[in-house]
Amino acid sequence: MTGRFCDLIQKKKNGKILTKEEIETMISDYCADKIPDYQMSAMLMAICFQGMNEEELSVMTSAMANSGERVDLSGIDGVKVDKHSTGGVGDKTTLIIAPIVAAAGIPVAKMSGRGLGFTGGTIDKLESIPGFCTEMNIDEFTSRVNQIGVCVAGQSGDLAPADKRLYALRDVTATVESIPLIAASVMSKKIAAGSDKILLDVTCGSGAFIKDIEGARELAKRMVAIGTSNGRETIALITDMDEPLGFAIGNNLEVKEAVEALHGNGPGDLMEVCYALAGNMIFLAGNGDVSYEEAVRLAKEKVDDGTAWKKFCELVESQGGELSYIENPGNFPKASKSREVKALQSGYLVSMNTAEIGVAAGMLGAGRETKDSEIDYSAGIVLKKKPGDAVKEGEIIATLYAADDRRLDMAEKHFLSNTRFGKERPEKRLMIIDRICK
Ligand code: URA
């Protein structure tokens, strides 16, 4: 950096446009520890308030994608379609759609993340299956995809390391909820991960980072534009995350729900989102030869005929997971304590502050309190009632699972203070709110 970084913070704070050189130097200097976290935090906050134009966002995304290795997936035959969700509560869609899409004959080379903030992470969920391994080098990754058509691995440490560092900083400086910062974070990883096409699940509502539809639409459009300008056909679905997806929140609880879903017994909201996501991945891989309707039909067929379930078993076995747990989900370790949460009044369960329900799951032990803390895979929440359901005072609305009463006390209080009851049934919400293509 030729000038002082402080002057660049001032420039963004005043709403000016940063140049290509300034952004590229900022990212490389930050990765080289030449910019301290306190200055980068101030810059991130300035971006939160002032935003970034198309050119700035495109340069920032490329600089972050180029901060580490770019994965070469050319050793895998076929069109590789990646999928990324902007995060949610109870979002176990990858566990269900990866085997569905692979069962439809499309290679799924998926790199996923761990839980962050109030959101859960696919890698933590999969690692709750005893033995399941998500760490591997790129050769092992591609060879698993070539052998069985699917592999779900943790992000290699060198995949967009700038995002890894920036995200950790954003998480503790209240700078996650920024459209350009989310767009650069997601798209830098997806571009570095090397797939041919990208499907984005832009979640929207109280359990998502972006709460309103206008914001979600803008985020979706900006990410689709970045994918397209990088030569990757990209589709974004805007999906509802105003309530937890499905009934289970917490790692092995969500794996059990995914197993049920792959046997054809998944909850309606979860399956609607899964079929839309899997359908869009199959559609993208079809290069125009498969209509969207046909792709969705195929996705459903793969669940109905049992091939998606078989593919999930192959996936678990190939990554070292013990099959006996998914074959008999009752074998999963259970939390030593549980508590039934009861409705405070009769009427309807009107709404939940879903991010805070995610926080309650974290209090139970389902998430990390600090970067290095251990997860309790059996902790979490199983909902019995969802917004829109009629309830009677004292009726069970959820069961909480944890290792001790202190966690149950804390989480029960938090759960109830973020759940609203009323006399009027709330309107049913659309699960698939919009689909944004180029
Ligand atoms: N998911 C990401 O990968 N990055 C963000 O900034 C938000 C959600």
Side-chain angles (χ1 to χ4, degrees), residues 48 85-88 118-119 167 170 175-183 186 201-220 222-223 238-242 355 429 433:
C48 277
S85 159
T86 54
F118 62 83
T119 65
Y167 203 119
R170 288 167 59 212
T175 52
V176 173
E177 284 102 337
S178 148
I179 288 174
L181 292 179
I182 296 175
V186 169
D201 180 4
V202 179
T203 51
C204 167
S206 68
F209 291 124
I210 301 293
K211 315 285 181 208
D212 60 301
I213 292 179
E214 290 67 37
R217 232 177 233 125
E218 188 192 335
L219 174 61
R222 296 193 81 171
M223 293 199 290
I238 299 177
T239 64
D240 185 68
M241 190 51 79
D242 209 49
R429 296 171 64 94
I433 299 166

Side-chain angles (χ1 to χ4, degrees), residues 9 27 38 47 62 79 85 154 157 187 245 248 264 267 323 340 361 382 420:
I9 301 172
I27 296 298
Y38 60 83
I47 295 172
S62 300
V79 181
S85 159
M187 295 310 286
L245 197 54
L323 275 183
E340 287 166 344
V382 177
R420 230 164 39 83

